[in-house]
Amino acid sequence: MSDEIIHRLSTEGVDSFALAGVNDGNLVELAKRLGVRVSLRGDTLMLQGPLRAVERATPVAQALVDLARVGEIVDVEDVERLVDEESHGAPDRAKDGEFKIILPGLRRVIQPKTAGQRDYLEAIVRQDIVVGIGPAGTGKTYLAVAAAVDALARKRVRRIVLARPAVEAGESLGFLPGDVQDKVDPYLRPLYDALEDMMPRERVQRAIESRVIEIAPLAYMRGRTLSDAFVILDEAQNATGMQMKMFLTRLGVNSRAVITGDKTQIDLTNREDSGLLQIERILPGIEGIGFCYLGEADVVRHRLVRDIIRAYAEDAQG
C-alpha cells in the first residue's frame, strides 16, 4: 500500500527480554492489537504498516520502551492497558519521569503505569494528606508505601507508620492461636508484603525492631502524636468515623498521611459508619488535602481483575 511506512524507535540501554516478553509475547500482542508488524533488532524497535496504524502504535510502543528502560518487567497486560489508554486519548506520559521512585538497595524503579496512578503519586508528592479511593489492584497501597520508603531514604521523614483497622471481613479471629499481635498480623500482612517488595527483608526487620518502621492496627494510634513521619492508613473504608478523626488528629509537625480505601469493600455492620465516606463528604476543599479516584482503567493486576471489577459494578447498578 502506498501509505505503508516504517517507524524506528531506539531501545538503547533496554533489556530486550524485558521489553519483548516471553516468546516475544509483548511484540506479538502489540502487532495484533494495533495492526502493525513489530520487530526488535539490536537497539531498534521497528513498526511497519499503514500510516494511521503506525501513528497509533508509536506512543504505545514508546511507553513500553520507557517502562523497560527503567527496569520494569513488561508483560502482555501492560500492552493491553497501554493500548486501551491510547484508544481513550493517549496520556501525557512525559510527566511520569517527575515521579519515578528509585528504591535503595534493590536497583528497581517504581513509576506510575496509568494516568490515574500518575495523578495519585503527584498528589502524594504535593499534598500533606492524600485520600486514594479505588478498587483492588489499582496500586493505592503499593504506590503509597513506595513514596513512604522514598521519603525515608531521602531523610524527609524519620519514620514510617503503616496502620490498618482490624475489622473482621466475614471471618472470626477468636479461634486463631496466639496473642493479640498474632491475631491481627493477617490483616497487616499486605503491608509487610509491600515493604518487603521494596526493601531487602533484613533491612525491613531491622527498621521494625528499631521502630523506624511501625506496622500496627489503627486502634494502637490512639493518644499518640506522629511527628516527622510518613503515615499510611490502609483499608480506610473499615475505619469508623471516630477512628478516622482520631487518626487524622494524630499528625504532628513535618508529617504527611496517605489514606487508601475501596468504598465497595466496607465490612462495617452499618455502611454509613465508614470514616472514609465521612471524610469524602466533609474534607474536600481544605487546602493541603487531596482526593484521588482510581478506577478500572488503573488496575495493573491480571487483565481479568479489570473485567471482574466492571462486572460487579454493573451488577450493583442493577
Side-chain angles (χ1 to χ4, degrees):
M1 291 179 62
S2 59
D3 70 341
E4 186 156 302
I5 65 166
I6 298 176
H7 186 74
R8 294 174 174 84
L9 296 173
S10 172
T11 61
E12 187 176 357
V14 174
D15 183 320
S16 59
F17 178 77
L19 175 61
V22 178
N23 296 325
D24 292 342
N26 299 336
L27 306 186
V28 171
E29 184 68 17
L30 183 63
K32 182 176 74 174
R33 292 289 297 266
L34 293 174
V36 293
R37 294 189 293 284
V38 184
S39 59
L40 181 59
R41 293 192 176 91
D43 290 338
T44 303
L45 180 68
M46 289 195 297
L47 307 174
Q48 184 174 358
L51 175 62
R52 286 193 175 183
V54 171
E55 285 180 339
R56 186 179 172 209
T58 296
V60 176
Q62 186 63 59
L64 290 171
V65 171
D66 292 344
L67 285 174
R69 181 169 278 125
V70 297
E72 291 282 346
I73 301 298
V74 182
D75 57 26
V76 172
E77 275 76 34
D78 288 314
V79 179
E80 292 176 343
R81 175 176 48 76
L82 289 168
V83 170
D84 288 343
E85 282 186 7
E86 193 280 337
S87 66
H88 292 93
D92 177 12
R93 300 189 62 83
K95 291 181 65 178
D96 291 359
E98 299 175 28
F99 304 106
K100 291 174 184 171
I101 295 173
I102 301 173
L103 297 173
L106 292 184
R107 295 182 63 194
R108 280 190 56 208
V109 176
I110 290 179
Q111 67 175 10
K113 288 189 170 186
T114 69
Q117 287 188 349
R118 184 195 67 214
D119 293 342
Y120 177 53
L121 201 52
E122 180 176 355
I124 291 174
V125 170
R126 303 196 187 286
Q127 307 277 19
D128 289 335
I129 297 175
V130 173
V131 183
I133 298 174
T138 51
K140 303 184 303 295
T141 303
Y142 194 81
L143 289 174
V145 173
V149 170
D150 183 58
L152 184 67
R154 294 173 184 268
K155 295 183 166 46
R156 291 174 177 165
V157 297
R158 294 172 58 189
R159 57 182 169 153
I160 296 172
V161 179
L162 308 175
R164 268 189 166 200
V167 173
E168 300 180 24
E171 301 172 4
S172 175
L173 290 177
F175 70 93
L176 293 174
D179 58 18
V180 172
Q181 189 64 44
D182 293 329
K183 291 177 187 291
V184 299
D185 266 355
Y187 288 111
L188 305 177
R189 175 47 52 190
L191 297 175
Y192 285 102
D193 290 344
L195 268 177
E196 290 176 357
D197 200 36
M198 297 173 198
M199 296 171 63
R201 180 171 292 188
E202 62 276 9
R203 187 179 297 178
V204 173
Q205 288 305 316
R206 286 200 304 271
I208 290 173
E209 289 167 6
S210 62
R211 298 184 70 79
V212 170
I213 295 178
E214 181 179 355
I215 306 176
L218 176 58
Y220 287 23
M221 300 296 108
R222 191 174 301 279
R224 303 176 56 190
T225 299
L226 302 173
S227 301
D228 285 318
F230 196 117
V231 191
I232 298 173
L233 174 57
D234 194 37
E235 299 289 338
Q237 73 275 2
N238 288 327
T240 66
M242 290 292 290
Q243 286 176 326
M244 182 66 76
K245 182 179 179 182
M246 178 272 290
F247 172 80
L248 288 169
T249 54
R250 296 309 92 200
L251 291 183
V253 176
N254 192 41
S255 285
R256 56 182 55 235
V258 178
I259 297 164
T260 72
D262 178 354
K263 292 190 292 183
T264 70
Q265 298 290 328
I266 296 174
D267 296 317
L268 299 171
T269 304
N270 183 357
R271 174 183 170 84
E272 296 307 311
D273 288 341
S274 172
L276 184 64
L277 298 183
Q278 187 179 77
I279 63 172
E280 191 182 21
R281 288 196 311 270
I282 66 178
L283 294 188
I286 296 178
E287 188 175 350
I289 300 179
F291 281 78
C292 292
Y293 291 87
L294 297 157
E296 63 185 47
D298 301 301
V299 171
V300 292
R301 292 182 182 171
H302 193 287
R303 64 177 179 79
L304 286 176
V305 174
R306 199 160 51 234
D307 296 338
I308 290 166
I309 290 168
R310 185 183 301 123
Y312 271 94
E314 290 172 353
D315 181 69
Q317 292 170 3

